[in-house]
Amino acid sequence: MEVLKEKVEEEEAAEREDAAEWAERMEKMRPAEVQKEETILTQEMLRDLEKKILEIEIPTPTDPPVVTEDTIDISNLPLSYKTNTPKEEHLLQVANNFSRQYSHLCPDRVPLFLHPLNECEVPKFVSTTLRPTLMPYPDLYNWDGCANFVSDFLTRVPLPDPLKPPLHLYSSTTVLKQQKGNCFDFSMLLCSMLLGAGYDAYCVNGYGSQDLCNMDLTREVCPLTVKPKERVRKIQKVQPKKYTIKPPRDLTSRFEQEQEVKRQEEAKAQEEKLRWEEEERLLEAEKAKPDPLHGLRVHCWVLVLSGKREVPEGFFIDPFTGRSYSTQDDHFLGIESLWNHRNYWVNMQDCWNCCKDLVFDLGDPVRWEYMLLGTDTSQLSLAEEEDEGLNDDDDVQDLGKKTEDKSFDMPSSWVKQIEISPEAFKTRCPNGKKVLQYRRAQLEKWAPYLNSNGLVCRLTTYEDLECTKILEIKEWYQNREDTLELKHINNCTGLHTDYFRPGHPQALWVHTYKSMQPENDRVMEFYETARVDGLIKREETPKTMTEYYKGRPDFLSYRHINFGPRVKKLTVTSTESNPRPMVKITERFSRNPAKPADEDVAERVFLIAEERIQLRYHCRDDHITASKSEFLRRSEVDNKGNKIIMTSDMCISFEVEPMEHTKKLLYQYETMMHLKNEEKLSKHQAWESELEVLEILKLREEEEEAHMLSISIYDTKRNKRSKEHREAMERVMHEEHLRQVEAQLDYLAPFLAQLPPGEKLTRMQAVRLKEECLSDFKQRLIDKANLIQARFEKENQELQKKQQWYQENQVTLTPEDEDLYLSYCSQAMFRIHILEQRLNRHKELAPLKYLALEEKLCKDPRLAEFLKVPA
Amino acid sequence: MNRIYDSVEPRVIDDDMLKLAVGEQGPQEEAGQLAKQEGILFKDVLSLQLDFQNILRIDNLWQFENLQKLQLDNNIIERIEGLENLTQLVWLDLSFNNIKVIEGLDTLVNLEDLSLFNNRISKIDSLDALVKLQVLSLGNNQIDNMMNIIYLRQFKCLRTLSLSGNPITQAEDYRMFIYAHLPDLVYLDFRRIDDHMANLAEMKYQYTIDELKHREHLRQTKLEEEEAQQMKLEEHKMAFVEHLNGSFLFDSMYAEDVEGSKLSCLPIVGELLETYKDKFVIICLNIFEYGLKQHEKRKLELDTFNECVQEAIKENQEQGKLRIARFEEKHLLSVSAIREESELLNIEKRIVECGEDITELFNVLMTLEMQLVEQLEETINMFERNITDMVGTFIENVQSLILSCRDLENHHHEKLLEISISTLEKIIKGELDEELPDDVRTLFVDKDTIINAVGASHDIHLLQIDNREDELVTRINSWCTHLVDKIHKDEVMRNRKRVKEINQYIDHMQSELDNLECGDMD
């Protein structure tokens, strides 16, 4: 450092000369706005303006959740947080030197953001605060995942002074613990993660628009409301083939057509203009008020440059929203400096046109002044050789890095490894909840399993800017037992639409309804492959029901049922449902290739009220008309009183190609009988469909009420059953362990303790020990027997008392008291019985136990040698 | 067999018996009454039962074209006959008869279930046509040759077989043999075949089976090869250049040419012939390739044409259908309106309106059709021109190629004549070194003889070439005319059919309307 300083002093003289030139250059480096507004202003006027601007009161948030030191427990932080290593000290000196020279050469520019204090009030160089870390979650491998995570995970805290970079810059570990931070904290964390994931990422200190700095999305369109643009399919113009027939001659007037087109175009233009004006007006209304601090608000964001991880071109990420912006975006108004974990660059380019003209070639020393030499020069442009030549007589060179030790590189990060626990990762937002306000929309997010009904996301769209009139609500669910995925409520039409994932017990896919009451307007769509009957869709209106099928072996594709008004039943037999009478059933069939077209029914209509059946057959391939027939089902009696079975006027048919056998009465009769059966079947099926609707509605209601959440068997935390099982296992293990410990209990221990320790036992002592132990045990057995006996007698006495009391008061007792007495009696009898049993058992076992102990004592290694001798 | 019926006279199936059977087995109750009223046609009958009738001879069954199930069990039939027309038959029961030989089943290609239980059959045979056979019952017969089972290998659908009560069942390995040789069989003698046993059997007879399979495979490949060859020839024939991809024409030139072959043994002639043949074959190959190419081209042209015409017709049809659908919708509404209308005047007005609608529909449909006819006419004419041109060029080119063949022949003829004369001179002078065969020598008697001989050979050759050329030209011309004729005829047929269809439909609509009118008038 000494050497450096000397060098600097030597060069100072030369520098002073250049300073004027420098200052001139630096003039241009001012943040965009000031420059833009008043390019002809004098210095004084500028200062004046600045004063004025500073006088403007900055609207501070009502309760600024500013992080204060006392909320951070610094006692547990490692040493690297509290002190600086010599290398870091060296770096800080270099940085100070750099900063001094910079402020000397560019007096008009704001001081550099180089080494803010950390949570332990220790200055740390910004690059060392970055800790590149690759997260162990697959979701955090790509930049968008990281950006979304950071924006979700942290809560925004405004900068203490929106016009200056903060004084403190905490480590990412602290920020993660607190789950809140300012834009610098956001960016540092995101940048660390991106660097760890292999991106060429940088933290950028610069100026942003008001919306950006305040995380104000109210002028942004919610990304979820943007409908994916329908890809316009290009209709391929079919090349007319050699023998394509010529179209018939067009005999209409071309002039008239042209006039018509012209007229229509005019009307369209008029309409367009009106609409455009309307839109313009709306836009005007929505536009933000001009910001008095435009271009002065400090912001920090992340820059990702191309080259690594297949990034095609550089872009910005706003850490608050996690959105990417192009480097030309209007929100970014200027860049002071940027850094990654290796180096620090100062922007020497003019920002009068926001960031639009900036070139992110960090190897170009004219545009980007770097602080450390030779650490990271991968960005050098192709014209490196040329640059070198130019640099020799460039003032930039004189900032004294040439003289610096070339091998000096950035010390490793002082920050501990960034860790995110799986729970925190799953919970994501602080407390698992986050609300975002967009233009005419509000987005709420919850962590999975936080809401008992599985709600994870809700998007409310409003009609007006003030967000008072709700247009529609979309709710996303996760892990629901009923596989409900998305609920869409349209407030204008009153339509509810539920979307289900595959796996619903009724194979439901989409359910659109206005009310859950049956026999109303509703549409149910099904996963067709999951259903045996191949039903795809069932539409209902109060009077009709339409069903669409696909892939049925009987080729049924459509069934439409018209209902008549319900017949009021006089008898009150409410056990049976009263279905609406069916007036008409229309069924359509797709072509069955196994049958000839003339025998393959395309449509059959059962006019139940009129006792009529209409059939329409499929059209033959080379025909334009199809066969039809109509059956009248009236059974009449002829003038002799005989029942007419079948007459030719009961069947009217049109046949494309008249056939012999269809004329026969027998054939017609058989067909009609068959159709009669079919009609019965169709009616039955329609009735079943109605029942199914009721069933589904009931099921849906039950599911809505229960809203059970399914838990993966691999989720050991949430899966209660497996948890219980595991705990039971643990308990068993524990008990087993206890038993083993008990087995090793030492009977002699209390008696041995009476003897002076360390002495060898004598024979006398041993015998006495044994006797004492045995007598003690005997006493215990007797005590126990007595205890049981005492209890037994007590119970007996009490029972007798009670019985006496009962006999005395038997007459005056209420039934309840009597019941009480009886239950007491039975319980008391039970207790007495048990005590009796225990006593008997004890009497039986006591001698055995006594003998067992004696034997055990005899075999005890400590006493054995003394006791076996007399034998 | 059926001794109880011995007392009764043997019978032949006759009309009365059939009528009775059909009447008895036909529809019952209400439908039966109707059937009686109308009578049942034999060709509408699907199933017929003629058991215990003491039938000796099958006859008079030819009318039952659509019969699917026929039961002739428990009779005294001795020959299977008279079943040729019953091609739809699926189920045939001839059990408990006196049949000795399986025969007369060659037309029953749809037969799936055949029962010949309790007969006197000694050999399984003549079943080749029954490719769909699934169930075969041959119990209580006199089949005694185990090898006869192999015959059943060709029935890929055969699942159930019964052979109980035959002499072969006495054989020790009867079951194993059948398991091994009929691996697709599921039931034998009314019992399901055990998989384990089947595996064992397969192992036991592995060698014989493999050999069988090998032989079958060889036969199969041979058949396929022949088929492929046939296909190729067919294709060449379609291109009118069959047998031109080799020396076939050249060989045929010399096949009938006695003198030519005699002369070929002259010195130098052999060599000459060789080069001549080579050149000739090359030209033939040229013709062949050209022919194939032209054939491709014609085919493509025809395909495009057909495709375009089909598209046009399809589109026209769609339009027609659309119009009809629209009309029907409207018509239905107005008819129901008429039905509900009570005012007589209004009814008449509406009926008139309906009639107008029908006429309009007729006009629209006919206009569409006429339009299509015009368009197609134009296209067909264009195609005709093109195809005729193509054929013309083809013929021209082939003719020019054949001309070069003729030139070669002429050239060869001259050379041969030269050689012959020089040889003759040599012979006359007695300078010939080599010995000539006697029959050749007889040609070299004098100049006239030899010139005649060579000339005759030449004539034969030219004739062969001319014949081939003529054949080609005539055939391609006739193909072309046929094609064009057919296209025209098809178009006319289509047109007529469509017009008839439209008329029929309109008539039907009109008559319906008239009926309505009458009904209302009443």
Side-chain angles (χ1 to χ4, degrees), chain A residues 421-424 426-427 449 711-724 726-727:
Chain A
S421 66
E423 293 93 71
K426 274 202 182 126
T427 317
Y449 295 107
I711 293 161
S712 159
I713 51 161
Y714 302 109
D715 193 342
T716 47
K717 266 228 169 89
R718 295 209 177 79
N719 201 330
K720 235 177 230 164
R721 261 230 314 269
S722 81
K723 195 174 170 185
E724 274 165 13
R726 202 174 57 239
E727 275 171 1

Coordinates of all heavy atoms in Angstrom, one line a residue, chain A residues 421-424 426-427 449 711-724 726-727:
Chain A
S421 N -33.6 -24.0 4.4 CA -34.2 -25.3 4.8 C -35.3 -25.7 3.9 O -36.0 -24.9 3.3 CB -34.6 -25.2 6.3 OG -35.8 -24.4 6.3
P422 N -35.5 -27.0 3.8 CA -36.6 -27.5 2.9 C -38.0 -26.9 3.3 O -38.8 -26.6 2.5 CB -36.6 -29.0 3.1 CG -35.3 -29.3 3.5 CD -34.8 -28.2 4.3
E423 N -38.2 -26.8 4.6 CA -39.5 -26.2 5.1 C -39.6 -24.8 4.6 O -40.6 -24.4 4.0 CB -39.6 -26.2 6.6 CG -39.7 -27.6 7.2 CD -38.3 -28.1 7.6 OE1 -37.7 -27.6 8.6 OE2 -37.8 -29.0 7.0
A424 N -38.5 -24.0 4.8 CA -38.6 -22.6 4.4 C -38.8 -22.5 2.9 O -39.5 -21.7 2.4 CB -37.3 -21.9 4.8
K426 N -40.3 -24.6 1.0 CA -41.7 -25.0 0.6 C -42.6 -23.9 1.0 O -43.6 -23.6 0.3 CB -42.1 -26.3 1.3 CG -41.7 -27.5 0.5 CD -42.5 -28.7 0.8 CE -42.0 -29.8 -0.1 NZ -41.6 -31.0 0.7
T427 N -42.4 -23.3 2.2 CA -43.3 -22.2 2.7 C -43.1 -21.0 1.8 O -44.0 -20.2 1.6 CB -43.0 -21.9 4.1 OG1 -42.8 -23.1 4.8 CG2 -44.1 -21.1 4.8
Y449 N -50.6 -26.5 1.7 CA -51.0 -27.0 3.0 C -51.3 -25.9 4.0 O -51.6 -26.2 5.2 CB -50.0 -28.0 3.6 CG -49.9 -29.2 2.7 CD1 -48.8 -29.5 2.0 CD2 -50.9 -30.2 2.7 CE1 -48.7 -30.6 1.2 CE2 -50.8 -31.3 2.0 CZ -49.7 -31.5 1.2 OH -49.6 -32.6 0.4
I711 N -52.0 -36.3 1.1 CA -50.6 -36.1 1.5 C -49.8 -37.3 0.9 O -50.2 -38.4 1.0 CB -50.5 -36.1 3.0 CG1 -51.2 -34.8 3.5 CG2 -49.0 -36.1 3.4 CD1 -51.5 -34.9 5.0
S712 N -48.7 -36.9 0.3 CA -47.9 -37.9 -0.3 C -47.3 -38.9 0.7 O -47.0 -38.4 1.9 CB -46.8 -37.3 -1.1 OG -45.7 -38.2 -1.3
I713 N -47.2 -40.1 0.4 CA -46.7 -41.0 1.4 C -45.2 -40.7 1.7 O -44.6 -41.2 2.7 CB -46.8 -42.5 1.0 CG1 -46.3 -42.7 -0.4 CG2 -48.2 -43.0 1.1 CD1 -46.0 -44.2 -0.7
Y714 N -44.6 -40.0 0.8 CA -43.2 -39.7 1.0 C -43.0 -38.4 1.9 O -41.9 -38.1 2.2 CB -42.5 -39.4 -0.4 CG -42.6 -40.6 -1.2 CD1 -43.4 -40.6 -2.4 CD2 -41.9 -41.8 -0.9 CE1 -43.5 -41.8 -3.2 CE2 -42.0 -42.9 -1.7 CZ -42.8 -42.9 -2.8 OH -42.9 -44.0 -3.6
D715 N -44.1 -37.7 2.1 CA -44.0 -36.5 2.9 C -44.1 -36.9 4.4 O -45.2 -37.0 5.0 CB -45.2 -35.6 2.5 CG -45.1 -34.2 3.1 OD1 -44.2 -34.1 4.0 OD2 -45.7 -33.3 2.6
T716 N -43.0 -37.2 5.0 CA -43.0 -37.7 6.3 C -43.4 -36.7 7.3 O -43.9 -37.1 8.4 CB -41.5 -38.1 6.7 OG1 -40.7 -37.1 6.4 CG2 -41.1 -39.4 6.0
K717 N -43.4 -35.4 7.0 CA -43.7 -34.4 7.9 C -45.2 -34.4 8.1 O -45.8 -34.2 9.2 CB -43.3 -33.1 7.4 CG -41.9 -32.7 8.0 CD -42.0 -31.3 8.5 CE -40.7 -31.0 9.3 NZ -39.6 -30.6 8.5
R718 N -45.9 -34.4 6.9 CA -47.4 -34.1 7.0 C -48.2 -35.4 7.1 O -49.3 -35.3 7.5 CB -47.8 -33.4 5.7 CG -47.2 -32.0 5.6 CD -48.0 -31.1 4.8 NE -47.4 -29.8 4.8 CZ -46.4 -29.4 4.0 NH1 -45.9 -30.3 3.2 NH2 -45.9 -28.2 4.1
N719 N -47.6 -36.5 6.7 CA -48.4 -37.7 6.7 C -48.5 -38.2 8.1 O -47.6 -38.7 8.7 CB -47.7 -38.7 5.8 CG -48.6 -39.8 5.4 OD1 -49.6 -40.1 6.1 ND2 -48.4 -40.4 4.2
K720 N -49.7 -38.0 8.6 CA -50.0 -38.2 10.0 C -49.8 -39.7 10.4 O -49.3 -40.1 11.4 CB -51.3 -37.7 10.4 CG -51.3 -36.7 11.6 CD -52.6 -36.2 11.9 CE -52.6 -34.7 11.9 NZ -53.9 -34.1 11.9
R721 N -50.4 -40.5 9.5 CA -50.4 -41.9 9.7 C -49.0 -42.5 9.9 O -48.7 -43.2 10.8 CB -51.2 -42.7 8.6 CG -52.6 -43.0 9.0 CD -53.0 -44.3 8.8 NE -52.7 -44.9 7.6 CZ -53.4 -44.9 6.5 NH1 -54.6 -44.3 6.5 NH2 -53.1 -45.5 5.4
S722 N -48.2 -42.1 8.9 CA -46.8 -42.6 8.9 C -46.1 -42.1 10.2 O -45.3 -42.8 10.8 CB -46.1 -42.3 7.7 OG -45.6 -41.0 7.7
K723 N -46.5 -40.8 10.5 CA -45.8 -40.3 11.7 C -46.2 -41.1 12.9 O -45.4 -41.4 13.8 CB -46.3 -38.8 11.8 CG -45.4 -38.0 12.8 CD -45.9 -36.6 12.7 CE -45.2 -35.7 13.8 NZ -45.7 -34.4 13.8
E724 N -47.5 -41.3 13.0 CA -48.0 -42.1 14.2 C -47.3 -43.4 14.3 O -46.8 -43.9 15.3 CB -49.5 -42.3 14.1 CG -50.2 -41.1 14.7 CD -51.7 -41.2 14.3 OE1 -52.1 -42.2 13.8 OE2 -52.4 -40.2 14.5
R726 N -44.5 -44.2 13.0 CA -43.1 -44.1 13.4 C -42.9 -43.9 14.9 O -42.1 -44.5 15.5 CB -42.5 -42.9 12.6 CG -41.0 -43.0 12.5 CD -40.4 -41.9 11.6 NE -40.8 -40.6 12.1 CZ -41.5 -39.7 11.4 NH1 -41.9 -40.0 10.2 NH2 -41.8 -38.5 11.8
E727 N -43.8 -43.0 15.4 CA -43.7 -42.8 16.8 C -44.0 -44.0 17.6 O -43.4 -44.3 18.7 CB -44.7 -41.7 17.2 CG -44.1 -40.3 16.9 CD -45.2 -39.2 17.1 OE1 -46.3 -39.5 17.4 OE2 -44.8 -38.0 16.9

